[in-house]
Amino acid sequence: MTIQWYPGHMEKAKRQVAEQLKRVDAAVELVDARIPFSSRNPMLDQILQDKPRVVVLTKSDMADPDVSAQWLRFYEAQGAEAVTLNALQSKGAKPVIDKAEKVTAPIFDKMKQKGIRPRAIRAMILGIPNVGKSTVINRLVGRKTAKTGDKPGITKAQQWLKVGNKMELLDTPGILWPKFEDQMVGYRLAATGAIKDERLDLEDIALYLTRLLKERYPQALKERYRIEELPADDHDLFTQIGSKRGCLQPGGYVDEEQCAALILREFRDGKLGRLSLETPSDHEEKKDTHASSNAEKSSDIMSRDKDADV
């Protein structure tokens, strides 16, 4: 299955972000702590260019804390300012403001040198659909100002919001990108709910998710679905889960559509525990694979050119 979702309003939102960029001091980029690489929109690097940026790993209460710590070290090694955020805890707002003050310090130092009166930081908040942006905004602002929901596409337009007297936030709609070069990125986005379920083969996505969890968190599957030994065959595991949870049709056959919906819902609700679907090493391995592949292609071309010269 090829996964893609880029409705027309996202192209419009991308243009609006670029137009508003000159009005802000920094960007607050939200990524899903369970999939920090897959949930980073690669177009933002081109749009934001050298604009100071804070990366916020949302939904950290649902991600593996050890893996989240690896991601923070990964960003630190790249020279990026990153912080995890549990949007359900009131103490979560201060680290974001602190990081924003740090990345914009050079801007405000120049303003002071020119005798310009200090003002609040103006930041644009960005992220893919269903990354938890509205929940984060409500936590930062301290009251319910943005709609929240466990479906992508809640925010439809830009709006300015005040975070005390220290920051002003420009909210923007969630934006994906036109094409997923790596389809595993699409599968991870689909599993976490960043793509509308109506556009997906949920059985395919749920089968992918159970396969991945069997590799990385087998104990979580055993405990949640009371399975003593996970079968080697991924589809057998899928049907065992359906049978255990009563997803049955007349005659005792597993209702695979119902089973898929249940697995995805329980993963997204955190019922299987704190789980992460990718690590920094996955990202590095992918880069190494691409580099090796490109080197082989280059070697083949050089070899062919040499043979042609002979």
Side-chain angles (χ1 to χ4, degrees), residues 1 27 38 65 92 108 117 123-124 128 143 148-149 177 195 214 227-228 232 238 245 261 263 271 305:
M1 178 181 67
S38 294
F108 285 88
R117 187 176 178 180
M124 177 184 290
I128 65 168
R143 55 192 170 86
T148 62
W177 55 104
I195 299 173
K214 186 177 75 170
I227 300 174
E228 291 186 7
F238 180 81
R245 296 304 301 273
I263 291 170
K271 296 289 179 63
D305 290 345

PDB file of all heavy atoms in Angstrom, residues 1 27 38 65 92 108 117 123-124 128 143 148-149 177 195 214 227-228 232 238 245 261 263 271 305:
ATOM      1  N   MET A   1       0.837  -1.192   0.000  1.00  0.00           N
ATOM      2  CA  MET A   1       0.000   0.000   0.000  1.00  0.00           C
ATOM      3  C   MET A   1       0.878   1.250   0.000  1.00  0.00           C
ATOM      4  O   MET A   1       1.789   1.372   0.812  1.00  0.00           O
ATOM      5  CB  MET A   1      -0.911   0.015   1.237  1.00  0.00           C
ATOM      6  CG  MET A   1      -1.783   1.259   1.324  1.00  0.00           C
ATOM      7  SD  MET A   1      -2.827   1.290   2.799  1.00  0.00           S
ATOM      8  CE  MET A   1      -1.603   1.458   4.090  1.00  0.00           C
ATOM      9  N   ALA A  27      10.826  29.833  15.470  1.00  0.00           N
ATOM     10  CA  ALA A  27       9.827  28.798  15.205  1.00  0.00           C
ATOM     11  C   ALA A  27       9.868  27.764  16.314  1.00  0.00           C
ATOM     12  O   ALA A  27      10.941  27.400  16.794  1.00  0.00           O
ATOM     13  CB  ALA A  27      10.092  28.129  13.861  1.00  0.00           C
ATOM     14  N   SER A  38      10.157  10.666  11.710  1.00  0.00           N
ATOM     15  CA  SER A  38       9.073  10.559  10.728  1.00  0.00           C
ATOM     16  C   SER A  38       8.100  11.730  10.815  1.00  0.00           C
ATOM     17  O   SER A  38       7.449  12.074   9.822  1.00  0.00           O
ATOM     18  CB  SER A  38       8.313   9.239  10.917  1.00  0.00           C
ATOM     19  OG  SER A  38       9.134   8.139  10.610  1.00  0.00           O
ATOM     20  N   PRO A  65      10.671   6.535  27.551  1.00  0.00           N
ATOM     21  CA  PRO A  65      11.531   7.603  28.080  1.00  0.00           C
ATOM     22  C   PRO A  65      13.002   7.430  27.739  1.00  0.00           C
ATOM     23  O   PRO A  65      13.715   8.424  27.526  1.00  0.00           O
ATOM     24  CB  PRO A  65      11.288   7.550  29.594  1.00  0.00           C
ATOM     25  CG  PRO A  65      10.716   6.189  29.853  1.00  0.00           C
ATOM     26  CD  PRO A  65       9.955   5.826  28.625  1.00  0.00           C
ATOM     27  N   GLY A  92       4.938  21.722  32.114  1.00  0.00           N
ATOM     28  CA  GLY A  92       5.548  21.504  30.810  1.00  0.00           C
ATOM     29  C   GLY A  92       5.838  22.750  30.005  1.00  0.00           C
ATOM     30  O   GLY A  92       6.611  22.707  29.067  1.00  0.00           O
ATOM     31  N   PHE A 108      17.455  39.774  20.499  1.00  0.00           N
ATOM     32  CA  PHE A 108      17.078  40.783  21.487  1.00  0.00           C
ATOM     33  C   PHE A 108      18.289  41.565  21.996  1.00  0.00           C
ATOM     34  O   PHE A 108      18.160  42.723  22.398  1.00  0.00           O
ATOM     35  CB  PHE A 108      16.294  40.126  22.623  1.00  0.00           C
ATOM     36  CG  PHE A 108      14.889  39.781  22.244  1.00  0.00           C
ATOM     37  CD1 PHE A 108      14.585  38.559  21.661  1.00  0.00           C
ATOM     38  CD2 PHE A 108      13.863  40.695  22.423  1.00  0.00           C
ATOM     39  CE1 PHE A 108      13.291  38.251  21.281  1.00  0.00           C
ATOM     40  CE2 PHE A 108      12.561  40.402  22.052  1.00  0.00           C
ATOM     41  CZ  PHE A 108      12.267  39.184  21.480  1.00  0.00           C
ATOM     42  N   ARG A 117      13.002  49.117  22.603  1.00  0.00           N
ATOM     43  CA  ARG A 117      12.346  48.652  23.827  1.00  0.00           C
ATOM     44  C   ARG A 117      12.054  47.153  23.749  1.00  0.00           C
ATOM     45  O   ARG A 117      11.542  46.675  22.728  1.00  0.00           O
ATOM     46  CB  ARG A 117      11.041  49.424  24.024  1.00  0.00           C
ATOM     47  CG  ARG A 117      10.349  49.160  25.347  1.00  0.00           C
ATOM     48  CD  ARG A 117       9.125  50.043  25.460  1.00  0.00           C
ATOM     49  NE  ARG A 117       8.403  49.791  26.693  1.00  0.00           N
ATOM     50  CZ  ARG A 117       7.290  50.413  27.053  1.00  0.00           C
ATOM     51  NH1 ARG A 117       6.772  51.341  26.250  1.00  0.00           N
ATOM     52  NH2 ARG A 117       6.700  50.123  28.187  1.00  0.00           N
ATOM     53  N   ALA A 123       6.768  33.943  18.166  1.00  0.00           N
ATOM     54  CA  ALA A 123       7.151  32.621  17.663  1.00  0.00           C
ATOM     55  C   ALA A 123       6.019  31.999  16.869  1.00  0.00           C
ATOM     56  O   ALA A 123       4.836  32.182  17.186  1.00  0.00           O
ATOM     57  CB  ALA A 123       7.533  31.705  18.827  1.00  0.00           C
ATOM     58  N   MET A 124       6.395  31.292  15.835  1.00  0.00           N
ATOM     59  CA  MET A 124       5.440  30.536  15.022  1.00  0.00           C
ATOM     60  C   MET A 124       5.486  29.091  15.469  1.00  0.00           C
ATOM     61  O   MET A 124       6.553  28.501  15.586  1.00  0.00           O
ATOM     62  CB  MET A 124       5.816  30.665  13.550  1.00  0.00           C
ATOM     63  CG  MET A 124       4.950  29.876  12.598  1.00  0.00           C
ATOM     64  SD  MET A 124       5.557  30.021  10.892  1.00  0.00           S
ATOM     65  CE  MET A 124       5.160  31.739  10.524  1.00  0.00           C
ATOM     66  N   ILE A 128       3.120  18.681  12.102  1.00  0.00           N
ATOM     67  CA  ILE A 128       2.261  17.898  11.223  1.00  0.00           C
ATOM     68  C   ILE A 128       0.887  17.738  11.880  1.00  0.00           C
ATOM     69  O   ILE A 128       0.717  18.063  13.065  1.00  0.00           O
ATOM     70  CB  ILE A 128       2.883  16.508  10.940  1.00  0.00           C
ATOM     71  CG1 ILE A 128       2.962  15.686  12.244  1.00  0.00           C
ATOM     72  CG2 ILE A 128       4.248  16.641  10.288  1.00  0.00           C
ATOM     73  CD1 ILE A 128       3.274  14.236  12.030  1.00  0.00           C
ATOM     74  N   ARG A 143      -4.882  28.315  29.289  1.00  0.00           N
ATOM     75  CA  ARG A 143      -6.334  28.181  29.214  1.00  0.00           C
ATOM     76  C   ARG A 143      -6.692  27.576  27.867  1.00  0.00           C
ATOM     77  O   ARG A 143      -5.855  27.516  26.965  1.00  0.00           O
ATOM     78  CB  ARG A 143      -7.030  29.542  29.374  1.00  0.00           C
ATOM     79  CG  ARG A 143      -6.545  30.595  28.385  1.00  0.00           C
ATOM     80  CD  ARG A 143      -7.047  31.983  28.763  1.00  0.00           C
ATOM     81  NE  ARG A 143      -6.393  33.009  27.963  1.00  0.00           N
ATOM     82  CZ  ARG A 143      -6.795  33.399  26.765  1.00  0.00           C
ATOM     83  NH1 ARG A 143      -7.846  32.816  26.222  1.00  0.00           N
ATOM     84  NH2 ARG A 143      -6.160  34.337  26.104  1.00  0.00           N
ATOM     85  N   THR A 148      -8.970  20.858  20.582  1.00  0.00           N
ATOM     86  CA  THR A 148      -8.132  19.671  20.624  1.00  0.00           C
ATOM     87  C   THR A 148      -8.946  18.470  20.165  1.00  0.00           C
ATOM     88  O   THR A 148     -10.168  18.451  20.253  1.00  0.00           O
ATOM     89  CB  THR A 148      -7.605  19.402  22.049  1.00  0.00           C
ATOM     90  OG1 THR A 148      -8.726  19.164  22.920  1.00  0.00           O
ATOM     91  CG2 THR A 148      -6.805  20.578  22.563  1.00  0.00           C
ATOM     92  N   GLY A 149      -8.235  17.457  19.688  1.00  0.00           N
ATOM     93  CA  GLY A 149      -8.904  16.243  19.256  1.00  0.00           C
ATOM     94  C   GLY A 149      -7.908  15.231  18.766  1.00  0.00           C
ATOM     95  O   GLY A 149      -6.796  15.586  18.388  1.00  0.00           O
ATOM     96  N   TRP A 177       3.852  16.787   3.805  1.00  0.00           N
ATOM     97  CA  TRP A 177       4.592  17.130   2.599  1.00  0.00           C
ATOM     98  C   TRP A 177       4.111  16.252   1.464  1.00  0.00           C
ATOM     99  O   TRP A 177       3.514  15.189   1.690  1.00  0.00           O
ATOM    100  CB  TRP A 177       6.100  17.035   2.829  1.00  0.00           C
ATOM    101  CG  TRP A 177       6.629  15.730   3.350  1.00  0.00           C
ATOM    102  CD1 TRP A 177       7.299  14.777   2.641  1.00  0.00           C
ATOM    103  CD2 TRP A 177       6.579  15.244   4.705  1.00  0.00           C
ATOM    104  NE1 TRP A 177       7.658  13.733   3.464  1.00  0.00           N
ATOM    105  CE2 TRP A 177       7.238  13.992   4.743  1.00  0.00           C
ATOM    106  CE3 TRP A 177       6.043  15.743   5.895  1.00  0.00           C
ATOM    107  CZ2 TRP A 177       7.351  13.233   5.904  1.00  0.00           C
ATOM    108  CZ3 TRP A 177       6.159  14.991   7.057  1.00  0.00           C
ATOM    109  CH2 TRP A 177       6.812  13.750   7.042  1.00  0.00           C
ATOM    110  N   ILE A 195      -2.434  10.732   9.731  1.00  0.00           N
ATOM    111  CA  ILE A 195      -3.133  10.664   8.448  1.00  0.00           C
ATOM    112  C   ILE A 195      -4.534  10.142   8.709  1.00  0.00           C
ATOM    113  O   ILE A 195      -4.721   9.223   9.510  1.00  0.00           O
ATOM    114  CB  ILE A 195      -2.391   9.738   7.466  1.00  0.00           C
ATOM    115  CG1 ILE A 195      -0.980  10.272   7.206  1.00  0.00           C
ATOM    116  CG2 ILE A 195      -3.155   9.607   6.148  1.00  0.00           C
ATOM    117  CD1 ILE A 195      -0.113   9.341   6.398  1.00  0.00           C
ATOM    118  N   LYS A 214       6.308  -6.319  17.991  1.00  0.00           N
ATOM    119  CA  LYS A 214       6.821  -7.656  18.314  1.00  0.00           C
ATOM    120  C   LYS A 214       8.342  -7.645  18.345  1.00  0.00           C
ATOM    121  O   LYS A 214       8.967  -8.290  19.183  1.00  0.00           O
ATOM    122  CB  LYS A 214       6.317  -8.683  17.287  1.00  0.00           C
ATOM    123  CG  LYS A 214       6.704 -10.120  17.646  1.00  0.00           C
ATOM    124  CD  LYS A 214       6.137 -11.124  16.652  1.00  0.00           C
ATOM    125  CE  LYS A 214       6.899 -11.098  15.338  1.00  0.00           C
ATOM    126  NZ  LYS A 214       6.515 -12.223  14.444  1.00  0.00           N
ATOM    127  N   ILE A 227      -0.876 -13.099  25.841  1.00  0.00           N
ATOM    128  CA  ILE A 227      -0.337 -14.124  24.951  1.00  0.00           C
ATOM    129  C   ILE A 227       1.000 -14.576  25.529  1.00  0.00           C
ATOM    130  O   ILE A 227       1.916 -13.769  25.683  1.00  0.00           O
ATOM    131  CB  ILE A 227      -0.147 -13.586  23.518  1.00  0.00           C
ATOM    132  CG1 ILE A 227      -1.493 -13.108  22.955  1.00  0.00           C
ATOM    133  CG2 ILE A 227       0.471 -14.645  22.613  1.00  0.00           C
ATOM    134  CD1 ILE A 227      -1.386 -12.428  21.593  1.00  0.00           C
ATOM    135  N   GLU A 228       1.132 -15.851  25.859  1.00  0.00           N
ATOM    136  CA  GLU A 228       2.344 -16.349  26.511  1.00  0.00           C
ATOM    137  C   GLU A 228       3.535 -16.357  25.560  1.00  0.00           C
ATOM    138  O   GLU A 228       4.631 -15.931  25.911  1.00  0.00           O
ATOM    139  CB  GLU A 228       2.100 -17.760  27.070  1.00  0.00           C
ATOM    140  CG  GLU A 228       1.133 -17.774  28.249  1.00  0.00           C
ATOM    141  CD  GLU A 228       1.015 -19.149  28.875  1.00  0.00           C
ATOM    142  OE1 GLU A 228       1.788 -20.055  28.461  1.00  0.00           O
ATOM    143  OE2 GLU A 228       0.162 -19.334  29.757  1.00  0.00           O
ATOM    144  N   ALA A 232       5.595 -16.763  15.437  1.00  0.00           N
ATOM    145  CA  ALA A 232       6.568 -16.234  14.481  1.00  0.00           C
ATOM    146  C   ALA A 232       5.882 -15.523  13.323  1.00  0.00           C
ATOM    147  O   ALA A 232       6.381 -14.516  12.812  1.00  0.00           O
ATOM    148  CB  ALA A 232       7.444 -17.369  13.956  1.00  0.00           C
ATOM    149  N   PHE A 238      -1.633 -11.305  14.756  1.00  0.00           N
ATOM    150  CA  PHE A 238      -2.756 -10.399  14.544  1.00  0.00           C
ATOM    151  C   PHE A 238      -4.088 -11.091  14.861  1.00  0.00           C
ATOM    152  O   PHE A 238      -4.931 -10.553  15.592  1.00  0.00           O
ATOM    153  CB  PHE A 238      -2.724  -9.913  13.094  1.00  0.00           C
ATOM    154  CG  PHE A 238      -3.818  -8.968  12.717  1.00  0.00           C
ATOM    155  CD1 PHE A 238      -3.734  -7.615  13.019  1.00  0.00           C
ATOM    156  CD2 PHE A 238      -4.936  -9.422  12.027  1.00  0.00           C
ATOM    157  CE1 PHE A 238      -4.746  -6.736  12.664  1.00  0.00           C
ATOM    158  CE2 PHE A 238      -5.953  -8.556  11.663  1.00  0.00           C
ATOM    159  CZ  PHE A 238      -5.861  -7.209  11.980  1.00  0.00           C
ATOM    160  N   ARG A 245      -9.408 -10.620  22.133  1.00  0.00           N
ATOM    161  CA  ARG A 245     -10.213  -9.454  22.465  1.00  0.00           C
ATOM    162  C   ARG A 245     -11.646  -9.534  21.945  1.00  0.00           C
ATOM    163  O   ARG A 245     -12.379  -8.550  22.003  1.00  0.00           O
ATOM    164  CB  ARG A 245      -9.529  -8.191  21.930  1.00  0.00           C
ATOM    165  CG  ARG A 245      -8.183  -7.907  22.590  1.00  0.00           C
ATOM    166  CD  ARG A 245      -8.293  -7.798  24.123  1.00  0.00           C
ATOM    167  NE  ARG A 245      -9.210  -6.747  24.489  1.00  0.00           N
ATOM    168  CZ  ARG A 245      -8.860  -5.467  24.633  1.00  0.00           C
ATOM    169  NH1 ARG A 245      -7.597  -5.120  24.460  1.00  0.00           N
ATOM    170  NH2 ARG A 245      -9.748  -4.565  24.960  1.00  0.00           N
ATOM    171  N   ALA A 261      -8.782  -1.914  13.974  1.00  0.00           N
ATOM    172  CA  ALA A 261      -9.215  -0.675  14.625  1.00  0.00           C
ATOM    173  C   ALA A 261      -8.892  -0.711  16.111  1.00  0.00           C
ATOM    174  O   ALA A 261      -8.460   0.296  16.697  1.00  0.00           O
ATOM    175  CB  ALA A 261     -10.712  -0.462  14.398  1.00  0.00           C
ATOM    176  N   ILE A 263      -6.431  -2.490  17.684  1.00  0.00           N
ATOM    177  CA  ILE A 263      -4.979  -2.396  17.914  1.00  0.00           C
ATOM    178  C   ILE A 263      -4.501  -0.957  17.769  1.00  0.00           C
ATOM    179  O   ILE A 263      -3.746  -0.445  18.613  1.00  0.00           O
ATOM    180  CB  ILE A 263      -4.226  -3.325  16.943  1.00  0.00           C
ATOM    181  CG1 ILE A 263      -4.493  -4.783  17.289  1.00  0.00           C
ATOM    182  CG2 ILE A 263      -2.719  -3.035  16.988  1.00  0.00           C
ATOM    183  CD1 ILE A 263      -3.984  -5.769  16.251  1.00  0.00           C
ATOM    184  N   LYS A 271      -2.578   2.424  25.710  1.00  0.00           N
ATOM    185  CA  LYS A 271      -2.979   1.255  26.501  1.00  0.00           C
ATOM    186  C   LYS A 271      -1.892   0.175  26.518  1.00  0.00           C
ATOM    187  O   LYS A 271      -1.887  -0.684  27.398  1.00  0.00           O
ATOM    188  CB  LYS A 271      -4.272   0.660  25.929  1.00  0.00           C
ATOM    189  CG  LYS A 271      -5.477   1.597  26.010  1.00  0.00           C
ATOM    190  CD  LYS A 271      -5.963   1.770  27.429  1.00  0.00           C
ATOM    191  CE  LYS A 271      -7.157   2.718  27.500  1.00  0.00           C
ATOM    192  NZ  LYS A 271      -8.334   2.198  26.777  1.00  0.00           N
ATOM    193  N   ASP A 305      32.096   4.352 -17.342  1.00  0.00           N
ATOM    194  CA  ASP A 305      32.789   5.415 -18.082  1.00  0.00           C
ATOM    195  C   ASP A 305      34.215   4.985 -18.443  1.00  0.00           C
ATOM    196  O   ASP A 305      34.691   5.253 -19.558  1.00  0.00           O
ATOM    197  CB  ASP A 305      32.838   6.694 -17.248  1.00  0.00           C
ATOM    198  CG  ASP A 305      31.466   7.332 -17.120  1.00  0.00           C
ATOM    199  OD1 ASP A 305      30.563   6.949 -17.907  1.00  0.00           O
ATOM    200  OD2 ASP A 305      31.295   8.220 -16.254  1.00  0.00           O
TER     201      ASP A 305
END
